[in-house]
Amino acid sequence: MNTIVVAQLQRQFQDYMVSLYQQGYLDNQFTELRKLQDEGSPDFVAEVVSLFFDDCAKLINDMSISLERPDHVDFKQVDSGVHQLKGSSSSVGARRVKNVCIAFKECCDVQNREGCLRCLQQVDYEYKMLKTKLQDLFNLEQQILQAGGTIPQVDIN
Amino acid sequence: MTREELPNLAESKLTALVVDDNFVNQSIHQKLLSRLGIQNDVVCNGKEAVDAHCSGRNYDLILMDMDMPIMNGTQATKRLREMGIESKIAGVTTRANEGEKKEFMEAGLNDFQEKPLTISKLLSILHKLDFYVQT
């Protein structure tokens, strides 16, 4: 094990993780998720966020269809989708996605189709951005492990 | 609380049922329970929870989501209580104004927690419902 390489990678991981919180991509719920990962389920976080991203893709597609026709928007369906998305984003600590959902719900409540479309576009952007960021984070984890190191605990506070 | 300090309730042989239509929440809630040594099953809506009990299954604890298709948490809780099910039922939801929460509680809940669930919140549920075991 090259201890210098491991230390560098660990530092990179820590800095990257902290930046994700500071930039608002993640919140404390992600920390809670990481606490659940253990030797018995070393990929737990990656598996849960993968479920979340699948959820995002499906719900965004469904809401897009509901919002398609200006004369026939099913706001109840859209509201249901936003509620689901807000719930799962909250559960994984996807802070920006959750915040867009809050604004999205407000647009649904007043049946503002244009506002909903804007929020839909934004939530699509945010989840894809988070997906890329977390993939980079997981790649760093793999590099640390392959170099013989351990994943450091990161103190966000 | 470190991982090593978490109570392990495996010896108590507690069982739990996760009732939630969202796969992300199902996964997290099951993991939380497993981490505490609580054997658990999962169903996707209130009707499946009722059906599970009709087929003879029984659980010490039910984590019941509120908003679900086919049969929601409030309806399922009422139905389970009508069936004479005495399991401890903890409602877990993100959508709850005071009126909805009151209705959910009055359906027969023993406790209520806002999502997202964490280890601390689950321990709080277990403690309140007298399942808590000292480390």
Side-chain angles (χ1 to χ4, degrees):
Chain A
M1 177 171 73
N2 186 326
T3 52
I4 294 173
V5 167
V6 166
Q8 280 175 343
L9 286 170
Q10 286 173 329
R11 185 57 196 247
Q12 212 178 330
F13 176 84
Q14 281 173 316
D15 290 346
Y16 193 60
M17 178 83 92
V18 168
S19 76
L20 291 179
Y21 282 81
Q22 286 177 340
Q23 291 168 33
Y25 287 102
L26 299 173
D27 64 27
N28 194 53
Q29 184 60 19
F30 189 77
T31 311
E32 294 291 328
L33 269 196
R34 291 191 80 225
K35 284 181 193 173
L36 296 177
Q37 187 156 291
D38 56 20
E39 283 166 9
S41 52
D43 300 318
F44 174 70
V45 176
E47 286 166 2
V48 170
V49 298
S50 177
L51 281 175
F52 167 64
F53 293 133
D54 289 346
D55 216 25
C56 285
K58 182 184 178 308
L59 289 169
I60 288 168
N61 182 60
D62 290 348
M63 288 190 285
S64 173
I65 292 169
S66 297
L67 286 164
E68 208 164 9
R69 285 176 49 188
D71 58 331
H72 193 66
V73 176
D74 187 345
F75 281 105
K76 198 173 168 190
Q77 174 83 359
V78 179
D79 183 74
S80 172
V82 174
H83 175 70
Q84 285 280 336
L85 197 49
K86 180 168 170 268
S88 51
S89 60
S90 178
S91 292
V92 303
R95 188 171 164 215
R96 284 194 185 186
V97 176
K98 183 187 76 175
N99 287 343
V100 175
C101 289
I102 292 170
F104 202 157
K105 171 130 178 62
E106 288 170 5
C107 290
C108 272
D109 287 346
V110 297
Q111 301 199 348
N112 176 355
R113 179 177 175 265
E114 290 304 317
C116 284
L117 284 169
R118 280 194 297 273
C119 288
L120 186 72
Q121 197 174 24
Q122 199 176 350
V123 85
D124 188 60
Y125 171 81
E126 290 295 348
Y127 104 80
K128 284 173 178 167
M129 183 64 90
L130 179 63
K131 191 174 178 181
T132 304
K133 299 277 183 190
L134 287 181
Q135 194 52 60
D136 289 343
L137 188 74
F138 297 145
N139 287 344
L140 271 172
E141 279 188 341
Q142 286 307 308
Q143 284 177 57
I144 293 169
L145 293 172
Q146 281 163 12
T150 55
I151 310 300
Q153 293 295 320
V154 180
D155 183 7
I156 299 305
N157 302 315
Chain B
M1 189 178 283
T2 64
R3 283 187 185 151
E4 294 70 30
E5 293 169 351
L6 287 180
N8 189 319
L9 301 173
E11 281 187 13
S12 59
K13 296 193 189 334
L14 285 178
T15 59
L17 179 67
V18 173
V19 189
D20 202 309
D21 62 324
N22 183 284
F23 292 143
V24 172
N25 292 327
Q26 282 180 6
S27 185
I28 294 172
H29 295 176
Q30 284 198 284
K31 185 65 177 172
L32 284 168
L33 291 162
S34 298
R35 174 54 71 82
L36 297 179
I38 299 173
Q39 208 174 352
N40 59 87
D41 289 336
V42 65
V43 292
C44 295
N45 58 61
K47 183 175 184 304
E48 288 184 12
V50 169
D51 289 346
H53 285 82
C54 287
S55 70
R57 282 192 273 167
N58 222 317
Y59 302 90
D60 300 295
L61 171 67
I62 300 172
L63 294 180
M64 183 76 79
D65 184 25
M66 194 167 87
D67 275 314
M68 293 178 288
I70 304 173
M71 186 186 285
N72 65 33
T74 306
Q75 294 164 336
T77 303
K78 266 190 206 158
R79 186 75 193 98
L80 288 170
R81 293 308 190 206
E82 284 167 3
M83 287 163 60
I85 301 299
E86 294 179 346
S87 309
K88 304 290 189 184
I89 306 177
V92 286
T93 184
T94 50
R95 196 209 296 269
N97 58 42
E98 281 308 308
E100 286 169 334
K101 186 177 168 181
K102 186 166 178 280
E103 192 188 2
F104 201 5
M105 287 296 298
E106 286 175 353
L109 296 182
N110 300 99
D111 194 16
F112 180 96
Q113 279 286 350
E114 278 193 33
K115 282 181 190 171
L117 271 192
T118 61
I119 286 181
S120 301
K121 286 184 182 179
L122 181 55
L123 286 172
S124 169
I125 291 171
L126 295 172
H127 184 68
K128 187 168 176 185
L129 302 183
D130 297 324
F131 289 137
Y132 181 75
V133 175
Q134 291 287 344
T135 52

